[in-house]
Amino acid sequence: MHEYTSRTRVWGVSCPGLPEEVSRARRWTRDILRGSPFAEDAELIVSELSANAILHTASGREYGSFHLAVAVSAQVVAVSVTDDGGTGTAPKVEHQDQDAEHGRGLGMVNALAHRVIVHASGTGRTITAELFTDARRGGQPC
């Protein structure tokens, strides 16, 4: 393999910060990961992260948007949602009781993913959830 060639495939899409775009982001993720054992978990993660971007950041304001990326390699499926920022508080996992209507989404993402990374920049935050494959036990690339 050439040193500059990667076996990682990456897709990206930008969505207006409208509630109906969450379902579009889910469908887009499901289509990309069709046949992957991580498709359902990734779809749920994208749904939660996209909804959070719209509800809790400038992404949900007029002319706001969020950006979604999916990266697939033999070792990992990574889904990232980048928001437009505009809040002074960092996303955090909250431990809510099972009857709570809000505050459980990032906890669910954290439970589904093998690793969650929050990266803040001057223009917003990117939350990446990684789902690791188990290639050592005969797992197939995603």
Side-chain angles (χ1 to χ4, degrees), residues 4-99:
Y4 298 113
T5 303
S6 171
R7 293 195 186 266
T8 302
R9 297 172 308 212
V10 180
W11 295 263
V13 67
S14 293
C15 301
L18 302 170
E20 58 266 28
E21 292 297 311
V22 174
S23 63
R24 176 178 168 225
R26 273 196 317 264
R27 276 191 317 274
W28 184 81
T29 302
R30 182 178 52 239
D31 288 346
I32 289 170
L33 295 175
R34 190 172 313 277
S36 167
F38 296 112
E40 288 182 14
D41 288 347
E43 184 181 347
L44 185 54
I45 289 168
V46 163
S47 182
E48 287 299 323
L49 295 181
S50 299
N52 284 349
I54 292 169
L55 289 171
H56 302 296
T57 76
S59 293
R61 296 183 188 150
E62 188 174 11
Y63 304 111
S65 62
F66 64 94
H67 313 281
L68 173 60
V70 175
V72 178
S73 74
Q75 295 81 27
V76 66
V77 170
V79 294
S80 300
V81 173
T82 301
D83 63 45
D84 283 346
T87 95
T89 59
K92 63 182 181 282
V93 176
E94 296 180 5
H95 301 286
Q96 302 286 347
D97 67 37
Q98 65 184 12
D99 296 328

